[in-house]
Amino acid sequence: MSDVVIFAPSPVLEITVEEHQADGDVHVHAGGQGVWQARMLLSLGRDVVLCSALSGETGRVLAHLLQEEGIRVAGIRRVARGGVYVHDRRDGERKPIIESGGDALTRHEQDELYGLTLRTGLDAKLVILSGPHGEGIVPADFYRRLAADLRTGGVRVVVDLAGERLDAALAGRVTVAKVSDEELLADGRIAKKSNIDQIVAAMRALHDAGAEVVVVTRAEESAFLLQDGAIHEVVAPRMEVVDSAGAGDSFVGAFCSVLAVGGSVSDAVLLGAAAGAQNVTRHGLGTGEAATIERLRELVVLRPLPGGGAPEAPAPPAREISPDDLAHLVEEATHTGEATP
């Protein structure tokens, strides 16, 4: 039995050009939402299986890269264009040169991937349904069916989706729905990211639509957790940002690493916030150091949101972490050898 199975229909081949004293430095990695989540889970000691379609030449390269990382893949092979992106980051910002999610799966390929994911997921402690890198890879109703069938099999389902894919998954009922405030805004579920009342109303609507627990992340701002009718604020330390991409996927990976071994939602959201905070200090997406994440978790504050359905409590301020403070945390974590639960 695997700890976590991730449905990642279209992983992508990442090609990034970095600054170098000569002509530049090219980095090649496996990527995409599900891969970044898997990478974090693996770094926290969890056994993870990725259910994906590996397409064409990029799919063959991805298979090797994932194997080298230790991420197990239950995949279907097909002759089609695979997902790929090429980014130029020589000036410190990501500039897309090419981005493609690849070709949509045919009806027979959809059936094959669905059966593979259901069979693998029913033997897992928890399943994450992640989105494709691109539109139209699989129909939105794919997510409703998977969520419903996995829940029928007694498996907990966590979704990190938006738009019609989120609506579909909620119709199938899920254990946890994680969404960002950017996605809420893009989906028309809120009119302003800064309006807390609108975010709270959207979270309750997502709960009513089929999510037992709802988490909303807000980039460098505090996250919100809705559980058992009450909303809590999750305040993580503010780090020096190198690259914010992938922080939400690191959050989900760490969050699920706790749930998969029987931890509470409260403990899961603390570790998720710590992993997201550390991710922004690194260039690698979904990467992290277990001991440092554990130390950062001690700095995360979970407090009732005023007016969120729970008694008010004194609100400790968010803690800012300087580069020197972070270096000290890393040194202490290395010396103590602490591991995540």
Side-chain angles (χ1 to χ4, degrees):
M1 173 181 285
S2 302
D3 291 329
V4 180
V5 165
I6 301 176
F7 174 64
S10 60
V12 297
L13 181 65
E14 300 177 357
I15 303 173
T16 306
V17 184
E18 300 280 4
E19 181 61 47
H20 190 271
Q21 60 185 5
D23 297 328
D25 189 18
V26 177
H27 296 262
V28 180
H29 299 285
Q33 185 182 43
V35 173
W36 299 327
Q37 294 163 350
R39 191 170 287 142
M40 177 54 66
L41 280 157
L42 198 65
S43 71
L44 294 173
R46 304 296 176 251
D47 180 64
V48 58
V49 176
L50 208 66
C51 291
S52 305
L54 299 177
S55 308
E57 295 180 5
T58 59
R60 290 196 293 272
V61 176
L62 281 168
H64 289 293
L65 292 174
L66 291 167
Q67 183 179 19
E68 286 182 357
E69 286 196 56
I71 299 173
R72 292 193 290 140
V73 179
I76 66 169
R77 300 295 185 97
R78 66 187 191 126
V79 179
R81 289 188 315 132
V84 63
Y85 74 63
V86 180
H87 284 181
D88 187 339
R89 199 165 58 178
R90 281 176 288 184
D91 64 356
E93 299 292 330
R94 289 182 178 272
K95 294 181 179 178
I97 298 173
I98 296 173
E99 286 202 14
S100 173
D103 293 331
L105 273 67
T106 67
R107 181 169 59 85
H108 293 298
E109 289 167 344
Q110 289 178 31
D111 287 346
E112 186 178 358
L113 183 58
Y114 190 93
L116 176 65
T117 304
L118 183 60
R119 181 170 66 252
T120 308
L122 287 173
D123 287 332
K125 298 175 183 176
L126 181 146
V127 173
I128 302 173
L129 302 184
S130 69
H133 192 82
E135 299 298 326
I137 306 300
V138 295
D141 195 57
F142 205 97
Y143 289 91
R144 179 195 61 80
R145 294 168 52 216
L146 265 180
D149 288 345
L150 287 166
R151 292 298 300 274
T152 296
V155 179
R156 288 175 296 173
V157 177
V158 175
V159 300
D160 186 4
L161 302 167
E164 61 179 353
R165 288 187 285 270
L166 174 58
D167 290 332
L170 292 173
R173 316 296 293 182
V174 301
T175 310
V176 181
K178 179 268 177 188
V179 64
S180 72
D181 58 348
E182 290 277 4
E183 291 165 332
L184 291 176
L185 183 64
D187 290 348
R189 301 179 197 271
I190 60 175
K192 292 180 63 177
K193 289 197 304 177
S194 59
N195 191 309
I196 304 303
D197 289 339
Q198 290 182 12
I199 294 176
V200 168
M203 293 176 73
R204 296 198 182 281
L206 292 174
H207 171 267
D208 293 343
E212 295 176 15
V213 173
V214 179
V215 177
V216 172
T217 56
R218 301 190 299 147
E220 297 179 30
E221 300 298 322
S222 57
F224 295 135
L225 166 69
L226 168 60
Q227 182 186 23
D228 297 330
I231 294 181
H232 284 71
E233 187 177 12
V234 187
V235 186
R238 294 192 177 185
M239 315 298 284
E240 294 289 327
V241 178
V242 172
D243 189 346
S244 61
D249 299 312
S250 290
F251 182 107
V252 171
F255 182 96
C256 291
S257 77
V258 175
L259 288 190
V261 294
S264 69
V265 170
S266 296
D267 285 342
V269 80
L270 292 176
L271 194 69
Q278 193 207 15
N279 185 90
V280 303
T281 70
R282 304 165 65 92
H283 288 99
L285 302 186
T287 62
E289 300 163 341
T292 304
I293 292 171
E294 177 62 26
R295 294 304 301 270
L296 287 174
R297 180 171 68 167
E298 298 172 8
L299 306 178
V300 180
V301 175
L302 182 65
R303 64 196 186 199
L305 182 69
E312 291 191 22
R319 179 170 174 181
E320 293 193 4
I321 303 296
S322 69
D324 288 342
D325 291 336
L326 178 60
H328 180 66
L329 283 172
V330 173
E331 183 179 359
E332 284 190 353
T334 303
H335 288 160
T336 59
E338 292 182 3
T340 33

